[in-house]
Amino acid sequence: MQVFLRDLSRNRSIYLMVAPVVLFYLIFKYIPMYGSIIAFKQYSVSSGIWASKWVGFAHFQEFFDSYYFWRLLRNTLIISFYQLLFGFPAPILLAILLNEVRSKTYKKLVQTASYLPHFVSLVVICGMIIDFTSRDGIINTIIQFFGGQSSSLLGDASNFRTIYTSTQVWQEIGWGSIIYLAALSGINPELYEAAKVDGAGRFRQIWSITLPGLIPIIMILLILRIGHIMDVGFEKIILLYNPNTYETADVISTFVYRKGLGEANPSAYSFTTAVGLFQSVINFILLVSANGLSRRYSGNNLW
């Protein structure tokens, strides 16, 4: 304790800087974990958490026995896999390409243009997507120009995942590239000079210097991304999907929204908490597994 107090006195400014972050996670992440107990109760606001009736795993059973459970699980995993397959490498590729640009003006222009979609309201983004994919939208105009037929793209269940994933990549590619650009700035320029002297071209330098320099941060972010496989945000899907596309668009979070909140279910709090706890447990298992595999095969890990 005395050692901590001495360190606190010596590095007071550093502790003050980190205090808001610690308080944020303590108040909004760790303390609310206490509320997870209502997943095992028939929670009533008037009765409170402890006075509510215990029901054990009834809410979990209700979710697992749902007619739509396997469809929800399949859609959640497929959409997450698509985001991992296409969305995760996209910022890395953009960062590498921007790192090779020599014109600072053009580089800043591309960075600004790629960052903007991240800051635009999701409602506006979804409105744009709906307009672009409508029968008289720009995408159908291009399709007709090349001899295709106009159709309501978002009304076809087979198109939803493609539209969702591609627009998600467009929204986040610029913002996601920031951390990789920061990592690239830490690579010793002398390595590139030495490679040039040895006759290495631009692609060889990228392969032998740039990518190895990014591997540690790539692995850390990949582990974190795998730890969120079960988390597919419901906001964008709810704004884009419709009953015609439920077969490929309905995920766990959207089902919980309709079941727990949309239908005004009296057990909404307990049911949604049970589903959230289920997702968190699966994510935790995936996170620990990914971290262990990364530590074993690449030497990069979170702990």
Side-chain angles (χ1 to χ4, degrees), residues 39 45 49 58 64 71 74 89 109 114 116 138 146 152 160 177 227 244 247 253 258 269 283 301:
V45 177
I49 293 179
F64 297 149
R71 185 183 76 179
R74 183 190 70 234
L109 179 64
S114 62
L116 281 178
I138 186 172
F146 287 101
S152 178
F160 185 87
S177 67
N244 293 330
E247 184 61 32
S253 57
R258 292 199 315 277
Y269 292 111
N283 282 334
N301 53 283

Side-chain angles (χ1 to χ4, degrees), residues 32-45 47-60 266-275 277:
M33 291 175 67
Y34 157 76
S36 298
I37 196 175
I38 68 175
F40 306 95
K41 292 195 168 197
Q42 188 66 37
Y43 176 68
S44 170
V45 177
S47 301
I49 293 179
W50 285 109
S52 297
K53 178 183 177 182
W54 283 96
V55 294
F57 292 92
H59 298 297
F60 294 92
S267 62
Y269 292 111
S270 296
F271 180 78
T272 54
T273 302
V275 176
L277 186 59

Side-chain angles (χ1 to χ4, degrees), residues 11-252:
N11 301 297
R12 187 182 299 107
S13 58
I14 297 177
Y15 280 98
L16 286 174
M17 289 176 62
V18 78
V21 178
V22 173
L23 288 175
F24 170 82
Y25 279 96
L26 184 64
I27 295 172
F28 295 104
K29 301 296 182 180
Y30 287 99
I31 292 178
M33 291 175 67
Y34 157 76
S36 298
I37 196 175
I38 68 175
F40 306 95
K41 292 195 168 197
Q42 188 66 37
Y43 176 68
S44 170
V45 177
S46 58
S47 301
I49 293 179
W50 285 109
S52 297
K53 178 183 177 182
W54 283 96
V55 294
F57 292 92
H59 298 297
F60 294 92
Q61 193 66 42
E62 178 186 357
F63 177 58
F64 297 149
D65 291 342
S66 169
Y67 175 77
Y68 303 106
F69 173 73
W70 290 110
R71 185 183 76 179
L72 298 170
L73 185 61
R74 183 190 70 234
N75 290 342
T76 301
L77 293 175
I78 290 177
I79 290 177
S80 288
F81 175 74
Y82 282 175
Q83 289 182 332
L84 188 64
L85 181 63
F86 299 105
F88 185 79
I92 303 173
L93 181 60
L94 177 62
I96 293 174
L97 293 175
L98 287 174
N99 189 58
E100 296 299 315
V101 173
R102 296 294 173 256
S103 172
K104 292 185 178 180
T105 302
Y106 179 73
K107 184 176 182 178
K108 290 180 179 179
L109 179 64
V110 172
Q111 284 180 290
T112 302
S114 62
Y115 295 166
L116 281 178
H118 175 81
F119 297 99
V120 178
S121 168
L122 186 58
V123 175
V124 175
I125 291 289
C126 291
M128 293 171 58
I129 295 171
I130 292 171
D131 287 340
F132 290 163
T133 58
S134 63
R135 287 186 178 274
D136 55 351
I138 186 172
I139 297 179
N140 270 306
T141 301
I142 295 173
I143 292 173
Q144 287 178 307
F145 178 80
F146 287 101
Q149 292 184 344
S150 175
S151 64
S152 178
L153 298 176
L154 270 177
D156 187 347
S158 63
N159 294 329
F160 185 87
R161 292 170 185 159
T162 301
I163 294 173
Y164 180 89
T165 304
S166 58
T167 54
Q168 194 71 14
V169 171
W170 166 63
Q171 284 179 255
E172 301 300 333
I173 185 173
W175 182 253
S177 67
I178 293 177
I179 192 168
Y180 297 109
L181 287 169
L184 287 172
S185 65
I187 298 178
N188 190 345
E190 294 181 359
L191 296 175
Y192 292 101
E193 296 298 329
K196 289 179 182 178
V197 172
D198 291 339
R202 298 284 285 275
F203 288 104
R204 188 63 184 177
Q205 292 175 39
I206 292 173
W207 182 259
S208 301
I209 300 174
T210 305
L211 284 176
L214 288 176
I215 286 297
I217 190 65
I218 288 175
M219 293 307 302
I220 294 299
L221 293 179
L222 180 60
I223 293 170
L224 293 173
R225 181 66 189 85
I226 291 175
H228 287 279
I229 285 248
M230 296 293 289
D231 296 332
V232 178
F234 70 92
E235 299 93 343
K236 185 177 180 180
I237 294 180
I238 283 180
L239 291 170
L240 291 179
Y241 79 165
N242 56 71
N244 293 330
T245 59
Y246 280 176
E247 184 61 32
T248 58
D250 201 18
V251 295
I252 292 175

